[in-house]
Amino acid sequence: MATVLRFSRILQHLRGIDCSKSKAARAGKLLHRHAPCATLWRNHSIYTTTKINPDEPTFDKILIANRGEIACRVMHTCRLMGIKTVAIYSEADASALHVKMADESRCVGPAASRESYLNVDRIMEVIRETGAQAVHPGYGFLSENKDFARRLTNEGIIFIGPGTDAIHAMGDKIESKILAKEAGVHTIPGFDGVIKDETEAVKKANEIGYPVMLKASAGGGGKGMRIAWNDDEAREGFRLSSQEAASSFGDDRLLIERFIDNPRHIEMQILADSHGNAIYLNERECSIQRRNQKVIEEAPSVFLDEETRKRMGNQAVQLARAVNYITAGTVEFLVDSQRNFYFLEMNTRLQVEHPITECITGVDIVQEMIRVAKGYPLQLRQADVPINGWAVECRVYAEDPYKAFGMPSIGHLYRYQEPKNIPNVRVDTGIQEGSEISIHYDPMISKLVTYGKDRQEALDLMSRALDHYIIRGVTHNISLLQDVIAHPRFISGDINTKFLPTEYPEGFKGLQLNKDNEAMLAAVASCVFVKDLWRAQEFLNQTRILPIPTKEKEWSLSVTVAGSKHDVTVSKTDSGFKVSVGGSDITIDGEWNMAQDIITPTINGSPCDLQVISHNATGAIQLQFKGTVFPMSVLRKEVAELQALMPEKVKPDQSKEVASPMAGKVHAIDVEVGQKVYEGQEVCVVEAMKMHNSLSAAATGKVKAIHCAVGDNIAEDDVLIELE
């Protein structure tokens, strides 16, 4: 009971809830019951500052037609409002976090999305079985499916989203662009019709003028989008984008428009109710992207002045009013260097990056969506919307950032720990230690959000939070996130949607060490090596009888870091170690524990956060520094001298092999055995997380063997095609 009261008092303090009311008391009990899973509300104070009125009638039960972090996020607010929740799940998600958090749960089919999370008939059955009064769709899946919304309405179930007419109007990029023009919203020059085939794509591209953007009319999330700079790319872009659109949305229609070079991607969050009220909750800067998918977002934008913000916000509201929009939505714009802005699309749903808007405005967007769906007016007016502080969101993905800035990685999370003891950190996630990242769904692990009084404080907190984020079992993109937020251009706010390919033209290679950091890592690795020697020599404080002397006070070592060898001398001191690397002395305290995943040694008087990925007494050590994992070799000097005499292993020539850079499914094979192919020619297409990836030959040759078939599931680095 004490724990329940403690949660209720926290809620009372943060949200002004009267704990004597039954809804608030029930919310406290729900928090207590689900506390082991409930990472979302660990730092609830940076969620929102809006209050919940316990006397305001609301839904008794809501079904969340989604999975992962967004399902957990919606459950978080439902719990605070005293609303029961129903989770749906696929067979692959039977042990998922959102299933554990819900009051009830039902399986809706096999792992494939089309047979489960897109299985409308089965979801409707679950709604009837559980007596859910409303459905929150989250984002993706059925969130912008007008037919699903219409079926719910026909059966008397409330869809916590816009009306079907608004979904149809704004969900179709062609129609939405026409409506935006009519509503007085600035739009991008282009062709407003549907592109029929590759020939028409080339014709319209030449009429508009290169570069052009081909995009799925019914798309979103960066899927079904390609930039074309010439006729050949227009043909290929049409083919791949239409295939991707059909696979992701069941609709292969494409539109084409002028590609605005070097733009910023800035969007406006809006809220509207059925009483004629519509407001904007200011902007989010979403320019750091890869393959048209956002990676880092922040609110507000460093680029907008108050006048431009107001004009963009007012146009977003104009568009919402033009389509009788109700609930939360986002109007996305491209903004050029002169602050000219152009309508891109409207997302008729909750946006992935909504948490940063909640941080700077104090508005619980999910709560407002539920209230609006119940028929209540918005709790605030435009003049009530503040910009308090700064918020930054990093999307933490199970991806390999060294492959095209992020190819999906699958695996079992055998170790998972979110940042601890860092203020103003919010982690929205749908996974926990032991979860599986599979090929079936988006590879997002979490949305990591930090909030500060200004941008620099928010970025400093983000850097610390990323340092303290422990993820083992899959490859992740923390190294890229760390590198971007520390980049001078990003810090200055000089960013656009081409930031990643411009700043990393050869691809991301990880943190590039300077001389001081290289010496520091060599010193820390040497101390790890010495501590391992001590641990090998002692057991339960009893010295083992080993050939290695146990009373050493100095060690001469050879350390290899990032391909560079360093002569290192380690001396034991009363408080730790004195390490000489290349003639420079580094002092390291000895109070850090080798059993910890994160070590925080004090180096030359300054604390440093490092993760120990692996280590052993043989000297094979991996340290994670600023997100990048550095494999290092630490050897005694005499051992290193002998190793130098060993012959080097010759790397095999892999130019005649086409291997998959990610796990996925073979979508198409474009060659046959005996066919001659040329360097750069597409040989197959792999689908991973609903994205189509074209694989090309690295050299000219004849196809010797094909080791896969269309529809095969493949693993990362599987050889698909051999050349001779």
Side-chain angles (χ1 to χ4, degrees), residues 24-95:
R26 184 164 168 268
K29 290 177 183 177
L30 286 167
L31 280 174
H32 170 61
R33 178 152 56 88
H34 293 274
C37 307
T39 56
L40 281 170
W41 45 73
R42 188 177 63 236
N43 290 300
H44 180 76
S45 60
I46 75 162
Y47 263 63
T48 66
T49 57
T50 52
K51 297 180 180 180
I52 291 174
N53 179 1
D55 295 323
E56 186 177 83
T58 187
F59 301 106
D60 293 320
K61 187 184 292 185
I62 291 175
L63 180 141
I64 292 91
N66 217 297
R67 66 178 298 279
E69 65 85 14
I70 192 57
C72 295
R73 164 67 188 98
V74 175
M75 290 176 192
H76 164 69
T77 288
C78 287
R79 194 141 299 132
L80 293 174
M81 297 177 73
I83 301 170
K84 290 183 179 180
T85 55
V86 179
I88 61 171
Y89 63 93
S90 69
E91 292 171 359
D93 276 343
S95 300

Side-chain angles (χ1 to χ4, degrees), residues 459 463 480-491 626:
L459 289 175
S463 181
L480 176 63
L481 299 173
Q482 279 279 34
D483 214 66
V484 171
I485 66 171
H487 195 288
R489 261 192 68 192
F490 181 85
I491 291 172
K626 295 299 178 186

Side-chain angles (χ1 to χ4, degrees), residues 477-526:
N477 67 331
I478 285 179
S479 55
L480 176 63
L481 299 173
Q482 279 279 34
D483 214 66
V484 171
I485 66 171
H487 195 288
R489 261 192 68 192
F490 181 85
I491 291 172
S492 71
D494 177 21
I495 59 177
N496 55 50
T497 57
K498 296 180 69 175
F499 180 91
L500 291 180
T502 299
E503 294 305 315
Y504 306 97
E506 303 300 321
F508 179 63
K509 307 296 184 184
L511 176 66
Q512 301 303 296
L513 296 173
N514 58 32
K515 184 178 179 182
D516 290 341
N517 285 336
E518 193 171 305
M520 179 273 291
L521 285 176
V524 173
S526 299

